[in-house]
Each structure stands twice: as C-alpha cells, then as structure tokens.
Amino acid sequence: MSTFNCHSTLLLIRGFDLFAQLTEEEYEELHVIHNFIEAGKGEYIYFPSRNNNKLYFAKEGYIKIGYIDEQGNECIKEVIQKGEIFGHLTLEKNNSLDEFAKVYKADVSLCAFNVEDFYSLLQKKPLMALAFSNQLGKKVRKIETRLINLLNKNVQSRLINLLIQLIPEKDTSNSVAIERFLTHEDIAKLIGSSRQTVTTTLSELESQGLITTTKQHIRIPDVNFLKKSAMSDS
C-alpha cells in the first residue's frame, strides 16, 4: 500500500459530496496529502484487531469487508464501492475492528483520515457533520435491510434486493447496468445461499425478462418492476 502523492488531491477529495465545500485550510488540517493512498488487488487495508483509528473513503475500486469464522473461512459482510465509507464509522478512538478490509478485483484509491482529525473538522463544520450523519444513516439502513432480507425473504427476493443495492446511488434512471464485479460465490455469501442456487436464480430472473446478463454487466430494464417482483416473491 503506497501514498498517493499528487498536487490534485484537493480536487479529488472534493469529488465526494461530503467534501465539496472543503476549503484549502481545512484540507491542510486533515493532512490529506499524507493519507491519500493506493492499494493493489489482494492487499489488506486493515486486519482484525489492528486498531489504526481511521475512517476511509473509497475514491475508486472495490473493497471487501469481512471476517474469519471459527473454521478459518473468509466470510464477506459487504463490498464497499466508490464513494462509500468504511472503517471506524462511530469515530470512537481506540475501538478495535473485528473485521478485515481487503482490496477486491483491482487496484483502489482511498482517502484515510485519523478519527481525531475528522471529528475535529466535523465540530467546526455543522453542515458537514449533518451530511456525514445522513451518509452514515443510509449505510446503517442498508445493513439493516440486508439482515431483514436474510431472515424473512426467499433467495430470489434476497438476490433482487442485492442487485438493487448495487445500483449506483446517483443513477436514478429506471433502466440501469450494474458492473459484474462480484462472483457467484461472493453473491452467495452476501445473501446466505449457495453458488449453484445463485447461478440458477440469475438464469430464472433472465428467463422472466427481469434482467439480462453479459460478461461485464447485469442489465435491469425496469428497476421499478424488479422491485415489485421482489415484494411479491417474499
């Protein structure tokens, strides 16, 4: 993992909605130039119980968040995408994470802040604190929805809901294409199913005209109709 040393880092970080109004002085306070990093495929951002008191923002790429079970198997909790946050979300100092964060599929660009620096900035910027709270709330609701789906919905509904969650937040169109960055095995772990069942269910969704698939994308021609299908199949 290496430092991303570039004079354009201020412009890069302003690409996040949360930091759109960041001044140059506040940018300097966050020490961004020292915390903008790139990591290669397969590298760990952090390990279980390794306390680094940092909050991360994904600039590019995908990050796998997971844990190791008692049998030594790697279990996936979620996959972080561009624009999402992870790490010490509660901003608690010295609160160890019982999880790992690992670069997934391809190289990633991240912005990492010390919890103390970030918390200090939020105290000075009430609007940024509100924006951060809203972003964190969306993340919590996403996790809650996934847990409820695991408990109460069948495999097809769980798979549909995962596909809907993978739609980029800023894409509000009713016809979308989702990049196929998850393997069937990964999808199975995320929805509590098996790889074979995921493969079969995707084929069923395609035969019903709810999705079309290519090697690069899963296309959803009618997002609203797909959502209704998930509700009726619960």
Side-chain angles (χ1 to χ4, degrees):
M1 192 158 54
S2 59
T3 301
F4 186 77
N5 188 5
C6 178
H7 294 299
S8 63
T9 50
L10 177 56
L11 294 177
L12 287 173
I13 193 173
R14 280 178 175 166
F16 293 97
D17 292 340
L18 186 64
F19 301 106
Q21 304 303 318
L22 195 70
T23 66
E24 292 189 18
E25 291 77 13
E26 290 159 345
Y27 166 81
E28 291 293 336
E29 286 180 29
L30 280 173
H31 310 296
V32 176
I33 194 65
H34 302 294
N35 292 291
F36 224 106
I37 56 179
E38 288 186 327
K41 178 181 178 180
E43 284 190 66
Y44 284 92
I45 307 301
Y46 56 77
F47 305 92
S49 301
R50 179 186 174 187
N51 186 0
N52 57 7
N53 286 323
K54 290 193 181 231
L55 180 70
Y56 298 86
F57 291 79
K59 179 68 181 70
E60 295 289 347
Y62 304 101
I63 299 95
K64 184 189 297 184
I65 306 295
Y67 63 95
I68 306 299
D69 66 16
E70 294 179 354
Q71 288 73 44
N73 300 312
E74 186 180 276
C75 301
I76 304 175
K77 295 199 296 186
E78 63 176 324
V79 175
I80 301 297
Q81 302 183 60
K82 177 181 178 180
E84 292 191 81
I85 57 177
F86 64 103
H88 283 271
L89 301 179
T90 60
L91 302 186
E92 292 179 273
K93 186 178 178 181
N94 299 321
N95 180 21
S96 296
L97 296 172
D98 189 22
E99 65 182 25
F100 66 78
K102 185 178 182 181
V103 180
Y104 184 72
K105 289 293 183 184
D107 296 354
V108 302
S109 297
L110 305 169
C111 194
F113 300 109
N114 289 322
V115 169
E116 298 93 332
D117 293 337
F118 189 74
Y119 183 70
S120 176
L121 179 62
L122 293 185
Q123 287 181 310
K124 299 174 185 177
K125 302 278 286 186
L127 292 179
M128 184 179 289
L130 180 60
F132 176 73
S133 178
N134 289 336
Q135 189 170 359
L136 189 57
K138 289 179 182 179
K139 186 176 185 67
V140 171
R141 287 192 293 275
K142 181 178 177 181
I143 294 171
E144 288 177 343
T145 298
R146 180 167 166 245
L147 290 174
I148 291 171
N149 290 340
L150 285 171
L151 291 172
N152 301 314
K153 296 184 180 294
N154 60 31
V155 173
Q156 179 165 307
S157 293
R158 298 201 298 269
L159 178 53
I160 290 173
N161 278 290
L162 176 63
L163 294 177
I164 292 170
Q165 285 190 347
L166 292 176
I167 298 173
E169 188 175 327
K170 293 185 178 181
D171 192 340
T172 58
S173 58
N174 195 43
S175 178
V176 299
I178 304 168
E179 184 181 350
R180 295 192 71 169
F181 62 91
L182 291 172
T183 66
H184 288 192
E185 182 67 30
D186 291 333
I187 293 173
K189 290 178 180 178
L190 286 167
I191 67 172
S193 184
S194 67
R195 182 194 58 77
Q196 183 177 359
T197 301
V198 167
T199 300
T200 301
T201 306
L202 283 171
S203 296
E204 291 173 350
L205 292 176
E206 188 159 20
S207 67
Q208 295 169 29
L210 296 173
I211 64 171
T212 59
T213 61
T214 66
K215 289 184 178 180
Q216 290 77 32
H217 296 93
I218 295 177
R219 299 185 181 277
I220 305 175
D222 191 329
V223 174
N224 291 331
F225 187 70
L226 186 66
K227 290 179 179 178
K228 291 177 182 178
S229 177
M231 294 174 63
S232 62
D233 288 334
S234 301

